[in-house]
Amino acid sequence: MNCKVLRIFFWGFVSLCIAACQIEELKPAPIEVHYSIPQIPPGDAPQHMRYAVKWIGASQSQVTNDGPVAQGADVTTVHINLPRTEVLKDVLPIETTFYSFSYMPDAEIRRPRIILYDDVNQNQQYDHNQDVIIALDGFDLDFFESIFAFVDIDNFLSKLNLDQTLLYYSWTGGNYTALLYGEVLTGWRSTINPLFETEEYDPTTYVEPLLSLNVGHQLLMKTHLECFRDIEEHNYSNVIQVWVDSTLDVEQICSNTNVPCAPFDKTIPPNFEAMAASTEVFDQVCHNMAGQYVSMAINQGTLSCEQCSCTYTFDSTIYHVSAEDGPPVWWPCLGEQPFSL
Amino acid sequence: MKDHWKIQLFAAMLVCLQSLIVSAEDSIYEDARDPWSLQDKSLVNRQLHEQLTHPSQHFRLDTKGSRFAVAVDASTGGQQPLPGTDYAQTRFHGFFILDSYGAIRLFNSLDINLNLNFLNPSFCDGYHKSFQLLAGVSFHWKKSIFTLKKEPVIFHALIMDLDSVTIGSGLLIEQMLLEGFSFSLQWKDHSLSAHIAARVFWDNDDFLAIPLKLFGGKLTLLSAFWYFTESVPENNNTIFDIFRAASGIQEVTPYVGVSSNFDIRNKFHLTAEYLMRIKNHKISNGIMLRGDYKEEVLSKAQFHVGYQFRFYEQGFGPIEEINQASVLPQIPERENIYATNSFEYFSISPWFSQFSHTIMTEFALFLTPKFQLFCELEYWLRMVHNKDKPNKILYVNGDNRAPGIWHNVYYKMGMKYRLFHGLPHRISIFVSNKWIASDTLVTTSSPVRYVTDPLWGFELEVFL
């Protein structure tokens, strides 16, 4: 009887030791993120809308995730994995200070690009030259929420004490992952502000990320990707024509300008649709000028980008009508902007 | 009937074993100092008369026949990086320590003990700037209150400074400096005690242990309760909850178990402890086994080799969620206990099961009556794994990744030179990688017990 007890104890001890030795190396988990899809008019909705998660480095890039987006969906779920280590290290770094959570140590952090695109060539993967970008994460914004990745999550965790480790797990919803989300505060060279409110460990405070994608000009979005978000933008305006209501003193008004200036008949509306179709950027700006005149500028712009410097060149046509008579019914800003007569 | 001879043989073996075992004479009440390790040991703040009249303390000031007893352990030295290395010096880089003990014995039953530990960890900080004083008072009342079967029943009451405390074999608490209360009834070599300690490993914890020691500790039935005053229960609707709310205690973690302790011919030592934590209808187990062998050769050389196994099942620790434990005070005498300690297991216990094997060995050799070489080694293998928290990892002290297997080796080796023949006053020089991790104030609780950089130390020690 005693021998049996000893045997059980001995082999129990040995099996416990063996079990303890079989410790598997845990890998950081991917993250699941929801992205809201920008509203697209039904007629303009692409047929083959997909998302891609692209890690863009100085010398190499990697698309880690690429998947379809359901037609008409408001939100799509994106699975994000870490790229290869060498790619992750090559991705443009984000300066991190955790300034509002100063008890967290600094860490090397990178940020992926989330691309919503129309798979024009239908090869089910993002092709930068052929596919059309519909929206981008963090495009043209200085303050937004984003996913980011620790280059070496274990190195970061090794700098944390146990209390800080619990905060990390509150932040991740209890998962060991190098992919977290936070607020990007200053554009392309960003600081990341961890998005968690609690200073006590409470994984229930975890909120599943719901981030947004932003639309913009196709050329600008592509340049945004190519240039690691670092784009200089310039505007250049050129007034090409002034039109003055024929009921006004055309000669006096035109004497104040050097550009071509002529009367127009305000009962005949200009063809704005044709103007908009013929240029990349079209907008209309209305002004009330010192109570005497109401004016409108039709800006027809073109965008060009070279070496991360993009320039809008606007050709403007300016219309003047009498403030006392009021603008005609076709006046485009009539419903949007009150005029003080 | 068939197994009758087996029972007789077993009984005979027990008698034989009993004859080999030397009864552990517990001359100092609840003395938690490790009698098997060769590491240096300081005095404890009680029964100073008994300690100073022990033959091993012959060099102390004579207190025989006096109501007063005084002893001082004075040391000065430093802990510095080795030449050519980039490690930082420790907080005790240029220190003095004057650890003084005083006792007054009244009515042959009541001792009033005062431990004043004057220290300055760094003379570099400025003149007397970092001087600190740790003071501990203990009232120790030892009284025979009645006789039972012609043997006295002795009552002990120890109040405030419990000094170094070990509960059972050390599965829960081992050689921790604590304050609180301790009461005991002793009859022959049996005792029933209650030890109450405050601020053990966390700022909001208290601890109660009720050991029933039988046969001088060969068998101990142990129950223990770890109290916390932080989280508030949601439903205060039972009598127990109302009591807890009134007392400020919101969480109690109970333990029950058994430990056993055998010393054989003063050379071998075996101890085992099993405790179960019963809480929220869940049982978690803890096991500790330890064996030691100590030998002395011609009064010139001593060596000790020991082994201990510990198993802390996930959730065995007293806390419900990961919470960093910390200890205080952080003074150099704490370098003279093993790094393997229950303290190191509890912070992460809610997530991880932990196994460990530790080999401890010390060696001391007098080359001449004054010149001694010494070496202390501790190899600690920890296996940390998690069953039901598969998606979590964490780091302990920056190096140890859990789950994982951790190897830690601690060493201290060097030489001691006795200044006077037959007296222990000495100069020591040694290298080590186990240095106390102290903050500016040694009473600042620290989650890390040791700095493990390889440094060298030197000390001049005088014992009065």
Side-chain angles (χ1 to χ4, degrees), chain A residues 62-194:
Chain A
Q62 185 184 350
V63 175
T64 53
N65 304 78
D66 196 309
V69 176
Q71 285 283 343
D74 296 329
V75 172
T76 189
T77 301
V78 174
H79 298 272
I80 304 177
N81 290 76
L82 285 176
R84 297 187 304 275
T85 305
E86 61 271 23
V87 174
L88 186 60
K89 286 180 177 172
D90 198 39
V91 172
L92 183 73
I94 294 169
E95 295 163 348
T96 59
T97 56
F98 296 107
Y99 64 93
S100 58
F101 291 86
S102 55
Y103 46 81
M104 285 285 191
D106 285 351
E108 274 192 80
I109 284 177
R110 305 289 189 268
R111 192 145 56 88
R113 302 310 306 266
I114 316 299
I115 307 163
L116 188 69
Y117 69 99
D118 185 10
D119 188 17
V120 174
N121 58 13
Q122 296 184 47
N123 64 351
Q124 300 193 343
Q125 61 185 27
Y126 175 67
D127 186 324
H128 187 65
N129 294 320
Q130 296 183 32
D131 293 334
V132 173
I133 298 176
I134 300 164
L136 270 182
D137 72 301
F139 172 69
D140 209 22
L141 295 172
D142 287 337
F143 182 85
F144 59 97
E145 293 177 8
S146 174
I147 292 297
F148 56 94
F150 284 87
V151 171
D152 187 345
I153 185 62
D154 272 53
N155 180 266
F156 175 72
L157 287 173
S158 70
K159 294 176 186 171
L160 305 184
N161 61 33
L162 288 183
D163 292 339
Q164 292 169 330
T165 303
L166 289 180
L167 286 180
Y168 161 81
Y169 280 111
S170 292
W171 190 7
T172 66
N175 285 314
Y176 167 54
T177 178
L179 293 154
L180 294 99
Y181 76 109
E183 290 170 319
V184 178
L185 299 178
T186 55
W188 73 279
R189 296 284 288 180
S190 316
T191 56
I192 292 288
N193 181 21

Side-chain angles (χ1 to χ4, degrees), chain A residues 1-2 9 13 16-17 19-28 153-155 157-163 165-166 168-169 173-177 200-201, chain B residues 6 10 230 287 289 307 309 311 321-325 347-348 351 355 357 383-386 389-399 401 403-405:
Chain A
M1 181 64 185
N2 287 332
F9 187 79
F13 177 74
L16 282 174
C17 294
C21 289
Q22 293 172 337
I23 296 168
E24 289 184 14
E25 186 79 2
L26 190 64
K27 301 284 186 206
I153 185 62
D154 272 53
N155 180 266
L157 287 173
S158 70
K159 294 176 186 171
L160 305 184
N161 61 33
L162 288 183
D163 292 339
T165 303
L166 289 180
Y168 161 81
Y169 280 111
N175 285 314
Y176 167 54
T177 178
E200 299 286 333
Y201 175 56
Chain B
K6 287 185 179 177
F10 183 65
E230 191 169 46
I287 299 168
L289 305 170
Y307 163 80
F309 167 79
F311 168 58
E321 189 46 88
I322 295 269
N323 192 353
Q324 182 65 64
S347 298
I348 62 169
W351 288 3
F355 300 81
H357 302 274
M383 291 163 286
V384 180
H385 72 135
N386 49 2
K389 302 275 187 188
N391 57 348
K392 289 187 173 63
I393 70 128
L394 55 77
Y395 281 79
V396 175
N397 299 341
D399 299 322
R401 187 184 198 261
I405 298 174

Side-chain angles (χ1 to χ4, degrees), chain B residues 75-141:
Chain B
S75 61
T76 184
Q79 301 174 347
Q80 296 289 337
L82 293 163
T85 62
D86 294 330
Y87 299 108
Q89 61 189 6
T90 72
R91 175 63 182 146
F92 279 82
H93 49 264
F95 67 88
F96 82 76
I97 296 171
L98 200 148
D99 195 10
S100 67
Y101 297 83
I104 305 170
R105 177 155 290 174
L106 303 173
F107 314 115
N108 288 327
S109 62
L110 177 63
D111 282 3
I112 300 169
N113 305 279
L114 173 64
N115 173 210
L116 293 175
N117 194 347
F118 303 84
L119 60 92
N120 185 341
S122 167
F123 67 84
C124 305
D125 294 351
Y127 186 70
H128 293 187
K129 180 181 175 184
S130 295
F131 169 77
Q132 295 166 55
L133 171 59
L134 308 182
V137 170
S138 72
F139 294 80
H140 183 206
W141 188 41

